[in-house]
Amino acid sequence: MLIDESWKGKRWVVETDIANCFSAIPHEKLMQAVQERVSDQAVLRLLRAMLRAGVMEDGQVRRPVTGSPQGGVISPLMCNVYLHQIDRAWDVRQYGVLVRFADDVVVMCSSRRQAEAALERLRHLLADLGLEPKEAKTRIVHLEVGGEGVDFLGFHHRLVRAWARTGGKQITFLARWPANKAMQHARDRIRQLTDRSRLLLSVEWIVRDINLFLRGWAGYFKYGNSARHFDKIRYYAKMRLAIVLRKRHKRSREFGWSVVAYSGNELGLIGLVGTVVAPRPFKPWRRDRPNAGGERRR
C-alpha cells in the first residue's frame, strides 16, 4: 500500500502510533462497538468476563475499567474492532490514504497541508474514542531522495533512485528494508542463542536454533530490498558461532572463524542470499522460485 501510494505521488506521510492503546480502550465503548455486529448474549457475556479478568502485577490482581490486556489472546481482535471506527470515518479524498495495523498508523498524503489536516483529523477521531497519538512517535515526513524515511511494521521505508534493470533509465521508488529496531532485535536474539549459558549444548543444536529464528525473520523481511541487511545478520550469526567455538575449546577467535569457514557448509548455517523479493507498485507480490541448483533467486 505505501509503495503504491508513493508511486502515485503521495509522498507526505503522517507517522504515529496510539498511546497506551491496549490499556486505554474504555470497556463500555468497546462493547458498544462489538454489539454493532454481535448480538449473541453468551458471546457478549464471555467478552465482558475476559475484559474484567484483570492482570496480575507484583503478585496482585488489578481489574481496571479500561483496556484489553496486551498479550491477551483476544486483545488484538478487540483493538481492531474498536479502532475500525477510525477506518469507517476516514475521508480518503480529503485527508489522504490511511494505513493502519492495530495501533500503528501512517497516512499517505499529496501535500504538507493535507498531511497537517490529516493529523488534526486523526487527533479528533482518537479523542472521540478516548485515545490519543503517542507524541514522541508522531511526525510528518516528506519522502524525497536523500531525505528521511518512515518506519512501519518493522520496515524502514525510504525514497531512492536506481537504474532500472531494463531500458537503462533511472527510476524513483519507495524501497524498504528492516528498520534499525528489527536489526537490533535479530542481533539480540542470536546473542541469546549463542550465550555462554548454552556452551554445554552441541554446536548442531545451537545452529538449529539459529536457523529456526533466521527462517522466520528472513521470511518476513524478504518482501523488500533487504539483501545487504540479510548479509549483515548472517555475518553476525557466523561471528557468534565462532565465539561459541572459541570459548568451548578455549582457543583464539581465529580458531573459531577457521572452523566455521572450513567446515564445508559453515556448520549448517542457512544462507539468506537470494531470499529477497523486491516489491513492485500495483502488482501482487511475486514468489521467489528456486532455480535448477536449488538456490532461490529474485
Side-chain angles (χ1 to χ4, degrees):
M1 177 67 79
L2 272 65
I3 293 167
D4 295 349
E5 296 304 324
S6 169
W7 195 267
K8 293 177 184 177
K10 292 182 174 65
R11 293 178 179 173
W12 286 89
V13 184
V14 178
E15 179 187 12
T16 188
D17 64 12
I18 300 170
N20 304 315
C21 180
F22 285 91
S23 61
I25 296 175
H27 287 178
E28 285 308 312
K29 286 187 176 182
L30 173 58
M31 291 307 302
Q32 289 171 13
V34 173
Q35 286 173 286
E36 290 182 15
R37 300 297 294 269
V38 177
S39 59
D40 189 312
Q41 292 302 311
V43 173
L44 294 173
R45 282 195 298 272
L46 177 60
L47 292 177
R48 288 185 184 278
M50 295 178 76
L51 291 174
R52 290 196 301 263
V55 294
M56 181 171 286
E57 295 179 351
D58 300 324
Q60 304 248 344
V61 176
R62 186 173 62 87
R63 292 185 172 86
V65 295
T66 62
S68 184
Q70 191 160 4
V73 293
I74 200 69
S75 294
L77 174 60
M78 300 298 273
C79 175
N80 275 311
V81 167
Y82 192 59
L83 295 179
H84 183 60
Q85 297 173 85
I86 297 176
D87 306 336
R88 290 190 306 186
W90 194 260
D91 186 327
V92 172
R93 179 171 295 183
Q94 185 174 0
Y95 300 112
V97 176
L98 181 142
V99 185
R100 183 184 64 80
F101 187 89
D103 57 341
D104 289 329
V105 181
V106 296
V107 187
M108 306 292 290
C109 302
S110 300
S111 65
R112 182 174 189 89
R113 177 177 294 181
Q114 188 181 50
E116 290 171 348
L119 179 55
E120 190 63 25
R121 175 61 172 161
L122 188 59
R123 290 187 193 277
H124 283 307
L125 290 174
L126 288 173
D128 290 343
L129 298 177
L131 302 170
E132 62 182 359
K134 186 178 293 183
E135 293 301 331
K137 293 189 176 181
T138 299
R139 60 181 186 146
I140 294 175
V141 178
H142 184 206
L143 296 175
E144 55 184 347
V145 176
E148 291 184 276
V150 297
D151 291 348
F152 187 57
L153 303 183
F155 282 95
H156 180 74
H157 298 76
R158 183 170 295 194
L159 203 68
V160 301
R161 185 177 292 121
W163 292 99
R165 291 187 178 181
T166 58
K169 295 191 297 185
Q170 279 194 324
I171 57 173
T172 301
F173 64 100
L174 191 66
R176 66 182 194 175
W177 52 78
N180 290 338
K181 284 186 178 180
M183 293 289 287
Q184 189 58 51
H185 166 71
R187 294 188 189 97
D188 291 344
R189 182 59 181 151
I190 292 169
R191 189 183 300 113
Q192 290 175 354
L193 295 174
T194 54
D195 187 72
R196 181 184 296 272
S197 62
R198 308 189 88 224
L199 287 179
L200 294 180
L201 297 175
S202 68
V203 174
E204 292 79 9
W205 194 277
I206 294 174
V207 170
R208 188 207 67 166
D209 288 346
I210 294 174
N211 285 345
L212 283 173
F213 168 73
L214 289 179
R215 283 192 185 97
W217 190 84
Y220 179 77
F221 287 107
K222 72 178 182 179
Y223 295 101
N225 312 82
S226 309
R228 286 190 300 174
H229 294 73
F230 281 7
D231 288 344
K232 291 178 181 179
I233 292 302
R234 193 175 187 281
Y235 178 86
Y236 184 79
K238 288 167 59 177
M239 181 189 72
R240 292 298 304 181
L241 281 176
I243 291 175
V244 167
L245 292 165
R246 173 182 70 82
K247 291 179 178 178
R248 173 172 289 181
H249 297 282
K250 298 181 180 179
R251 302 282 293 275
S252 66
R253 180 171 294 191
E254 288 72 19
F255 168 80
W257 272 111
S258 65
V259 173
V260 174
Y262 298 110
S263 63
N265 64 349
E266 295 187 329
L267 301 177
L269 191 68
I270 63 170
L272 302 181
V273 175
T275 61
V276 176
V277 180
R280 302 171 294 170
F282 314 118
K283 295 182 180 179
W285 299 107
R286 65 180 183 270
R287 295 178 181 273
D288 46 339
R289 297 177 291 114
N291 61 23
E295 291 291 326
R296 290 197 176 274
R297 62 188 179 189
R298 293 178 61 177

